[in-house]
Amino acid sequence: MDSEELRNAGLKVTTPRLKILTLLEKSAERHMTADTIYRLLVEGGEVIGLATVYRALAQFEAAGLITRHHFDSGQTVYELERGPHHDHIVCIRCGRVEEFYDKVIEERQREIAASLGFTLSDHALTLYGECNSQDCPGRQG
Amino acid sequence: MDSEELRNAGLKVTTPRLKILTLLEKSAERHMTADTIYRLLVEGGEVIGLATVYRALAQFEAAGLITRHHFDSGQTVYELERGPHHDHIVCIRCGRVEEFYDKVIEERQREIAASLGFTLSDHALTLYGECNSQDCPGRQG
DNA sequence: TATTCAAACGATAATGATTCTCAATATAGA
DNA sequence: TCTATATTGAGAATCATTATCGTTTGAATA
């Protein structure tokens, strides 16, 4: 249950936090901006403040429940942490986001950091390209 | 000369654009925010507007003269395009930025994109870690 | 279950980054 | 040099995010 997740994260269980967490879990779109989350909740009839959404997201991130990404569009999107680490590939036409994990790249990164005198603690890898989804506006045919 | 670069990029040669381009070339720090660029110019006695800096940077980026990065700090930094492609590693304590290029990772990326049905057009890879620079505040010893 | 108090809330003001507006100015070509 | 147009600087406007503040709520305890 979501209450458990919050308690385990050391956060007080409150109605707004549960609403946000539930939305993140149920939503088909896994990468959302704070404003999108806020709007979806309000449109769904919930009473919640935008500031609360930002506050909760910051706390969720600090607790490791969600991850924050800065794709090239410049906007900040949040993603629920589920399953193991992965990176992203974003379609530059339709914005679709796919996830992937590559052992080779992960290992190389650690080696590179070490060779430069860094202790690797995190990384952000995003590929950009054109997808061939049926719905992608830039698709030929 | 800088005028050449602008002309080749299809941009009119103007004083403000030359000032910005020159600063980017001469500055020791290769990754700067728009505001930093603006402030450095003003401190150097130049008369220039912040809006002009933003405009010029956007045009330079469109022309391929510079690249824009979004590191995890959330701020947008600009970097003069010189030499071949490279990725970045950022110290999470002191903010120092190093550059690197890795053939293995570059190749893997293309393979991954293809396997997911994408035609790769770009990517952003940034590693985060703790550096062992003499000046890094988090350094032990 | 009622009490209590710090933590969290919602509304909104404030901030910081970026973009827009517009009158004045500078550029490139005739 | 002259002209038409693009660019500029200053400041207003916008957008995302954070801070403020009086009110409400969660959870520990009586």
Side-chain angles (χ1 to χ4, degrees), chain A residues 70-83:
Chain A
H70 298 279
F71 295 149
D72 266 6
S73 62
Q75 62 186 349
T76 305
V77 299
Y78 299 85
E79 173 190 12
L80 193 63
E81 265 304 338
R82 41 185 154 186

Side-chain angles (χ1 to χ4, degrees), chain B residues 23 33-45 48 50 53:
Chain B
L23 175 71
T33 65
D35 192 66
T36 300
I37 293 167
Y38 168 72
R39 230 165 354 191
L40 285 176
L41 288 173
V42 170
E43 284 169 10
I48 194 169
L50 180 56
V53 173

Side-chain angles (χ1 to χ4, degrees), chain B residues 60-79:
Chain B
F60 291 176
E61 192 201 5
L65 294 178
I66 65 176
T67 309
R68 183 203 308 234
H69 303 290
H70 298 280
F71 295 149
D72 266 7
S73 62
Q75 64 186 349
T76 305
V77 299
Y78 298 86
E79 173 190 11

Side-chain angles (χ1 to χ4, degrees), chain A:
Chain A
M1 205 196 314
D2 293 348
S3 310
E4 275 308 304
E5 288 188 60
L6 289 175
R7 255 188 292 272
N8 293 341
L11 295 172
K12 211 180 252 189
V13 179
T14 70
T15 316
R17 286 175 187 164
L18 286 173
K19 287 176 184 171
I20 295 169
L21 209 47
T22 303
L23 176 70
L24 288 174
E25 282 168 358
K26 292 191 176 164
S27 180
E29 177 52 61
R30 295 177 53 139
H31 305 85
M32 291 187 278
T33 66
D35 191 66
T36 300
I37 292 167
Y38 168 70
R39 231 167 353 193
L40 285 176
L41 288 173
V42 170
E43 284 170 10
E46 306 289 0
V47 174
I48 195 169
L50 179 56
T52 302
V53 173
Y54 275 102
R55 270 186 300 237
L57 290 174
Q59 291 156 337
F60 291 177
E61 193 200 4
L65 294 178
I66 64 176
T67 309
R68 183 202 308 233
H69 302 291
H70 298 279
F71 295 149
D72 266 6
S73 62
Q75 62 186 349
T76 305
V77 299
Y78 299 85
E79 173 190 12
L80 193 63
E81 265 304 338
R82 41 185 154 186
H85 163 77
H86 57 257
D87 294 304
H88 298 88
I89 182 163
V90 182
C91 179
I92 56 178
R93 293 196 196 276
C94 67
R96 194 162 67 89
V97 180
E98 290 285 323
E99 301 169 353
F100 68 87
Y101 172 83
D102 189 78
K103 206 170 187 176
V104 175
I105 289 185
E106 300 288 327
E107 275 174 16
R108 271 314 269 157
Q109 290 180 352
R110 225 171 310 126
E111 293 167 18
I112 291 163
S115 76
L116 293 170
F118 281 72
T119 305
L120 192 63
S121 63
D122 195 12
H123 75 261
L125 169 60
T126 305
L127 308 184
Y128 298 92
E130 300 173 19
C131 81
N132 58 10
S133 156
Q134 206 61 254
D135 305 324
C136 187
R139 187 165 177 273
Q140 46 238 46

Side-chain angles (χ1 to χ4, degrees), chain B residues 25-132:
Chain B
E25 282 169 358
K26 292 190 176 163
S27 179
E29 177 52 62
R30 295 177 51 139
H31 306 86
M32 290 188 278
T33 65
D35 192 66
T36 300
I37 293 167
Y38 168 72
R39 230 165 354 191
L40 285 176
L41 288 173
V42 170
E43 284 169 10
E46 306 288 0
V47 175
I48 194 169
L50 180 56
T52 302
V53 173
Y54 274 103
R55 271 186 299 236
L57 290 173
Q59 290 155 339
F60 291 176
E61 192 201 5
L65 294 178
I66 65 176
T67 309
R68 183 203 308 234
H69 303 290
H70 298 280
F71 295 149
D72 266 7
S73 62
Q75 64 186 349
T76 305
V77 299
Y78 298 86
E79 173 190 11
L80 193 62
E81 265 304 336
R82 41 183 154 189
H85 162 77
H86 57 257
D87 293 304
H88 299 89
I89 182 164
V90 182
C91 178
I92 57 178
R93 293 197 197 274
C94 68
R96 193 161 68 89
V97 179
E98 290 285 324
E99 301 171 352
F100 68 88
Y101 172 83
D102 188 78
K103 206 170 187 176
V104 175
I105 289 184
E106 299 289 327
E107 275 174 16
R108 273 313 270 157
Q109 289 180 353
R110 224 170 312 127
E111 292 168 15
I112 291 163
S115 77
L116 293 170
F118 281 73
T119 304
L120 193 62
S121 63
D122 195 12
H123 74 261
L125 169 59
T126 305
L127 308 184
Y128 298 92
E130 299 173 20
C131 81
N132 57 11

